[in-house]
Structure formats: C-alpha cells, structure tokens
Amino acid sequence: MKGKNVVRMVGGTLGIIFLVVYFGMASGYLEVENRKKTALTQEAMEKYEQDLKAGKKIDLNNYLVKEKVYSNHISDIVLGTSSVIEKGFNVIMNYLFREVDKAVKSK
C-alpha cells in the first residue's frame, strides 16, 4: 500500500510542476520578457540617435544593456522534466483519443 502512495505522490508532484511550467510558457511570459528587451533596444536606439545629433562621443557600451541570467541547475532540471512530462502527456492523450475514436466509429 505504501508503494502506491509514493507513486501517487511523485506523480502528483510531477503533474503540478508540469502544469506550473506549462502554463507559465503558455501564458506568454517569455513573449513579455522578449518584448521588454525590444523596448529597451528601442530606447537605446533613441538615446544613440540623440547622442549622435548632439555630437557626443559614441561608445557602444553606453547603449548595450547587460542581461542578468537567472537560469540555474534547478530551473534547467525542472524545464527538462516538464518537457519529458509534456511529451508523455501528449502520447497518452493521443492514444486515449485514438482509442475513443475507434470505439465511437465501431458502434
């Protein structure tokens, strides 16, 4: 009986992790972050053009924004696990719907 509880707990935990990461990606979080980078680039271009018109000395480092990298070993593991769960979930759902389709068509 304890083995079933452990399997359920691990499966439930992986399911929750998958859902959190999946909905984070589906909600467009990465798109928003990329849009912010584009806005910063446009601001840097405007500053560059103003400096150019003003005749100031142009230094590339004044216009490039150094990005912070927040990825770490744990986030890489969670993202990889989420990808594996997503692929498994897709296989299972395709199989289930294929079987339901066969059952409906056979009647």
Side-chain angles (χ1 to χ4, degrees):
M1 198 56 101
K2 288 184 179 181
K4 286 185 179 180
N5 289 337
V6 171
V7 170
R8 286 181 183 169
M9 184 66 109
V10 170
T13 303
L14 289 176
I16 290 171
I17 291 171
F18 166 74
L19 290 174
V20 168
V21 174
Y22 181 79
F23 285 118
M25 290 172 48
S27 67
Y29 174 75
L30 293 175
E31 290 179 23
V32 170
E33 290 301 312
N34 287 335
R35 199 170 299 130
K36 286 180 186 177
K37 290 178 190 176
T38 303
L40 289 174
T41 303
Q42 289 173 348
E43 290 173 5
M45 287 174 55
E46 290 173 4
K47 182 180 175 191
Y48 169 77
E49 290 172 357
Q50 289 174 356
D51 290 349
L52 193 62
K53 287 179 184 176
K56 294 182 181 177
K57 183 178 178 184
I58 304 297
D59 184 14
L60 183 62
N61 293 324
N62 293 339
Y63 309 103
L64 295 178
V65 178
K66 206 169 205 176
E67 290 183 33
K68 293 181 181 178
V69 177
Y70 293 104
S71 67
N72 57 35
H73 188 63
I74 293 173
S75 66
D76 293 341
I77 289 172
V78 170
L79 191 56
T81 304
S82 173
S83 296
V84 169
I85 293 170
E86 180 182 8
K87 290 175 186 173
F89 185 76
N90 284 337
V91 168
I92 291 169
M93 293 308 289
N94 286 334
Y95 173 77
L96 287 175
F97 281 114
R98 210 171 25 250
E99 292 301 316
V100 168
D101 188 44
K102 286 180 189 176
V104 169
K105 288 182 178 179
S106 67
K107 288 185 178 187

